[in-house]
Amino acid sequence: MQYVSDHPILGKGEAKELTIFFDGKPVKGYEGQTVAAILMENGVRTFRYTAKRREPRGLYCGIGQCTDCIMIIDGVPNTKACMTFAKEGMRTETQHGNGKTVDAGRENADERV
Amino acid sequence: MKEYDAIVIGGGPAGLGAAIEVAKAGGHPVLIDENARPGGQLFKQIHKFFGSREHYAGTRGFAIGEKLLQEAEDEKVEVQLNTRVWGIFPDHIVTAVSGKEAVCFRGKTIILAAGASENSLSFPGCTLPGVMMAGAAQTMMNLYRTLPGKEILMIGSGNVGLIVAYQLMQAGAHVKMLIDAAAETNGYEVHAAKIKRAGVPIRLGHTIVRAEGNGRVESAVICKVDAAFHPVPGTEEKIDVDTVCVAVGLSPRVELSALAGCRFTWAGALGGQVPVHTSGMETTVPGIYVAGDGAGTEEASTALDQGRMAGVSAAHRCGLLSDLREAEEHRKIQERLDMLRSGQFGEKRKSAEQAVWKAAGE
Amino acid sequence: MDEEKIICRCEEVTEKEIMQAIEGGARSLDEVKKRTRAGMGYCQGKTCKKLIARMLSSYTGEPMEKFLPGSIRMPVGPVSLSVLAASEEAAKEGTK
Amino acid sequence: MAAEKAVVIGGGIIGNACAAYLAEGGFSVALLERKELACAASGGNVGQISVIDRAEPWHMRLTLNSLKTYREISEKEDLEFSQDGGSILIENDDDFEQAEKLQEEMKTFDVPSEILEGNDVLRYLPGADLSLVKGIFYCPWEGSINPLKTVMYFRDRAVRAGAEIREYCPVESFRKEGSVIRSAHTPEGDFEADYFINCAGSWASRIGKMAGVPTRLSWRRGTAMITQPIPVIARGQMCGHALFGGTSEVIGGNGSELISLGLVQTKDGGVLIAQATKYTDADDKDITLSGVSGVAAGFIRHFPCCRDTEILRMWSAVTPFSDDGNPFFGFGKNAVNLLTAAGFKGAFTTSPEIARETVRALKGHSELFDSKFSPDREVRGYHAVCE
């Protein structure tokens, strides 16, 4: 939604800017923020689509308990966006179903063929 | 394997209080927390706390957190961050994962201070992005300065609902309405008054019917409920919001106490199922203690003192404190806890807590 | 119960499916789980347990405490196989 | 004429299947479970269906008839039954030799199988490490079934046929007149019947002893875990090469060693990994750290691509077995109306036919009436853990 740069209690935000990627597009955030925070600030609400009903999901519990916010982060599926601190250049992707582990695993298996 | 005097799991106020007391008694505790820094939910609390001087009255939550961290550092408490406990095995062995590494701890005692989790609520549309726990909204704005939404419907008039609604406004959101199925607000009047003054309508006797929207919350439908909490037909009302915050209570996190084999009892005023414990916070498993919201959901100040109580008990078990010293420390802490458990809500928690002690045979 | 209400968010189990399990004889969180998969997903029931316990309670008229906390198993939160494999060794060595 | 009464003791797969077939066969049935249905071995196992598990004709008959039943049921009910095939790992020359022997045996029952080597292994085990897994013995008839759904399916059938299912209703003693049991005593009251069926799984020996029938069962502990959904690493089920170690070792184990790794990848992609360890007590459900680490290490040694795969849940279950490899089936000398049906290896593979055999037994003629299955028999190699 937006970054609260001036807060009546927390004061002014002074963290350094950084850029991460969401489905290939660069989005701006700040050091010390989680992936979930940065994406929400940039208007992203859907972090994944579920396996069975293909429904969108986003942030729910915010403290790593519910796993609604899992995404593919730097290639690793099922990563909780609410618990992952952003790093410059981090790649985040919308996860579909159980994520690309399926493909990743096949690749691993096929490599040996 | 190195043996600690106490393995303290959870670095919120309860865990910090416990570890500090064990260290103060000359013991060697390890404080384990899954987050990047300890403090638990304290750093999300930007409001001023009530209570007495010992409870840092008038100080904001995050500032209390800073003080406790300083105290823990002064007492040389060993802290293991980014470390998530996944199991408890016989002989007080605690297994955890730190990054991608397996780590294990053995302790003379274990103090469980895992906190609480927010209760979920199910309604049509409850999985739409934009429906979130109030705590999630609070984490977003107070830890990361991210406004989780612009037009908010808050469900729940307990302290969490009231406080987070107010904080959402402080951060610049528009809280359109706060609803609760109950006929009266559940939280402190001070908090309710603040958001009423800010012009937020509080609709009691109302519930959410559904959240609507295409791929994200675009509106919510609410309606009146009767005395039995059943929806009253024809009272549906649609409000345009982009975010629905759910604040319908907290439950103690009991996974670890259950795995440790602790016996449970029901204490509605303390969030439901709680591990049976003595006034000294020992569970039904000797050498395993609980403190804070994980022992029964109360308040941060209570958690801190319960932690100190458990720390004193654990130090005594390790032979670091005499019987007399333990009794004396317990008495002092208990006095403070009694003070915290006064007033309309406090009394209820007090009698619930006493029933828990009774279940432990006190 | 006309509209679909998700109770178990991980396994996408609806209130209706859980009610069918209860009507079919499920009388505990475990039995609901065995019939519907509710509580078997990524969060292992952390989010839905209390909701299901409430359904069981209102259907049977028995108090919530009869149904909670249900069976709780390790690990608390998902843990990778390599970490599990290394844990016995870590227990022998201890930390640092 | 009033229906004959049967009390089924035990709410696992055999108990529920028996309750269903008995009730449908005209008996008035009460099933007594000491805790909850499928709370022990039936709830804790991975649902392997194995044709190659045992090569005796009686067992093969139970297996093939049961598979036919599962196929029929699956036309109407989704028990996640599948015959996707299954493999036994081959890790050395001895294993190859054993595999060839097994193939010969299977041929006599017209059960198809093949032995694969090298890269061909990946056809069925795409995730296996070929430096360790030199080959596999593959049988296309192997399969798996959802154990919980299957137990509940038979339970529902039993209830529809009029059976009464009682949970938290442990049998504490029997009232006998001579060698005839009149009633089973429980905290919920006494249950009178004409017949009592002991399918209490790990508890069958305790039930047996209450009635004066020795039922010399042993137990081992199975440690099991399930992963998050992942890509296909194994088509069908898989057993470790210890299965080639000779029947006695696999059936009986030898002391405290780890016994054979087994896995099934479920429809949604989760991998159920299980391994049996050492002798244990019938009620020992503790998970040990060495058990957990052992299972995890054994698995990722064979499937290194799963190192970072996450485990969502782990549990352990006690599984009963008999040291001589034979089940306990038949009436007891000191309890002539107590029919024991316990200690069957891979009970999910054979339970429908075991249940039908039970109905036949109550009517006086079972092909399993054999002194080598007698619950009164001495058992060679019996480790009396709880005596």
Side-chain angles (χ1 to χ4, degrees), chain D residues 327-343:
Chain D
F328 296 97
F329 190 89
F331 293 104
K333 260 192 304 216
N334 296 323
V336 294
N337 61 338
L338 176 76
L339 182 80
T340 302

Side-chain angles (χ1 to χ4, degrees), chain A residues 1-13 32-34 36-38 40-41 43-46 55-63 65 68 82-83 85, chain B residues 34-36 41 44 46 60 62 117-118 120-121 126-127 129-133 135-136 139-142 144-150 170-171 215-216 242-243 253:
Chain A
M1 290 278 141
Q2 73 188 51
Y3 181 71
V4 186
S5 54
D6 198 2
H7 190 285
I9 313 249
L10 300 172
K12 287 207 185 309
Q33 286 187 312
T34 57
I38 292 179
M40 289 189 75
E41 243 162 64
V44 178
R45 291 219 137 180
T46 297
E55 286 174 353
R57 293 283 172 88
L59 185 79
Y60 186 59
C61 83
I63 51 168
Q65 295 244 323
D68 255 20
C82 77
M83 297 293 279
F85 285 93
Chain B
E34 62 183 317
N35 295 293
Q41 308 304 307
K44 300 170 191 174
I46 59 170
R60 295 186 195 277
F62 60 86
S117 52
E118 294 187 270
S120 196
L121 188 67
C126 68
T127 57
V131 176
M132 67 184 78
M133 301 281 198
T139 305
M140 283 295 127
M141 60 191 177
N142 294 349
Y144 309 123
R145 291 174 174 267
T146 298
L147 200 59
K150 285 183 176 156
Q170 283 182 316
R216 57 164 67 195
D242 57 30
T243 302
R253 287 184 65 178

Side-chain angles (χ1 to χ4, degrees), chain D residues 259-318:
Chain D
I259 309 164
S260 202
L261 178 75
L263 67 85
V264 168
Q265 189 158 16
T266 64
K267 227 169 41 178
D268 74 339
V271 183
L272 270 158
I273 311 163
Q275 193 156 28
T277 52
K278 64 184 173 188
Y279 284 89
T280 176
D281 185 271
D283 211 16
D284 178 3
K285 287 191 86 172
D286 278 356
I287 288 192
T288 62
L289 190 51
S290 63
V292 168
S293 285
V295 174
F299 175 72
I300 55 181
R301 205 167 52 241
H302 292 88
F303 294 90
C305 62
C306 296
R307 288 189 60 80
D308 293 332
T309 298
E310 288 178 318
I311 293 297
L312 300 185
R313 186 168 73 249
M314 53 179 84
W315 63 94
S316 74
V318 172

Side-chain angles (χ1 to χ4, degrees), chain D residues 98-374:
Chain D
Q98 296 289 334
E100 280 161 12
K101 267 189 217 158
L102 184 58
Q103 193 165 35
E104 287 307 311
E105 274 176 356
M106 288 301 127
K107 270 185 196 157
T108 63
F109 299 106
D110 293 323
V111 175
S113 65
E114 55 183 325
I115 295 171
L116 301 172
E117 292 176 51
N119 284 343
D120 285 345
V121 167
L122 299 175
R123 264 168 43 206
Y124 298 113
L125 300 178
D129 180 358
L130 296 183
S131 66
L132 191 64
V133 182
K134 307 276 195 247
I136 51 171
F137 173 90
Y138 178 81
C139 171
W141 287 13
E142 297 289 279
S144 59
I145 196 160
N146 182 319
L148 301 175
K149 277 191 178 175
T150 309
V151 171
M152 291 305 162
Y153 164 79
F154 282 118
R155 178 239 177 236
D156 291 346
R157 245 173 83 171
V159 169
R160 276 198 302 273
E164 183 190 1
I165 308 279
R166 301 291 291 260
E167 291 177 280
Y168 291 98
C169 192
V171 171
E172 290 172 335
S173 61
F174 291 107
R175 188 171 64 80
K176 283 166 70 176
E177 279 173 22
S179 58
V180 176
I181 299 178
R182 292 298 176 201
S183 66
H185 175 73
T186 79
E188 303 284 302
D190 289 349
F191 289 81
E192 290 181 2
D194 302 299
Y195 294 104
F196 295 82
I197 323 294
N198 179 6
C199 6
S202 295
W203 282 76
S205 52
R206 300 213 182 159
I207 297 292
K209 281 177 189 108
M210 277 178 209
V213 181
T215 328
R216 295 181 173 90
L217 276 172
S218 301
W219 306 280
R220 60 179 168 235
R221 175 168 41 215
T223 302
M225 47 182 79
I226 180 139
T227 71
Q228 63 182 110
I230 57 165
V232 178
I233 58 142
R235 295 184 212 285
Q237 52 143 305
M238 188 219 85
C239 283
H241 75 140
L243 204 60
F244 287 129
T247 307
S248 65
E249 190 204 327
V250 177
I251 306 297
N254 51 354
S256 62
E257 284 173 32
L258 286 176
I259 309 164
S260 202
L261 178 75
L263 67 85
V264 168
Q265 189 158 16
T266 64
K267 227 169 41 178
D268 74 339
V271 183
L272 270 158
I273 311 163
Q275 193 156 28
T277 52
K278 64 184 173 188
Y279 284 89
T280 176
D281 185 271
D283 211 16
D284 178 3
K285 287 191 86 172
D286 278 356
I287 288 192
T288 62
L289 190 51
S290 63
V292 168
S293 285
V295 174
F299 175 72
I300 55 181
R301 205 167 52 241
H302 292 88
F303 294 90
C305 62
C306 296
R307 288 189 60 80
D308 293 332
T309 298
E310 288 178 318
I311 293 297
L312 300 185
R313 186 168 73 249
M314 53 179 84
W315 63 94
S316 74
V318 172
T319 55
F321 68 96
S322 71
D323 291 274
D324 63 8
N326 285 327
F328 296 97
F329 190 89
F331 293 104
K333 260 192 304 216
N334 296 323
V336 294
N337 61 338
L338 176 76
L339 182 80
T340 302
F344 283 89
K345 176 155 172 55
F348 271 89
T349 308
T350 49
S351 54
E353 189 61 16
I354 293 171
R356 284 192 293 259
E357 208 60 67
T358 301
V359 178
R360 280 178 221 130
L362 295 199
K363 293 184 172 163
H365 50 87
S366 167
E367 285 180 43
L368 288 181
F369 284 155
D370 188 323
S371 61
K372 72 179 178 200
F373 301 146
S374 163

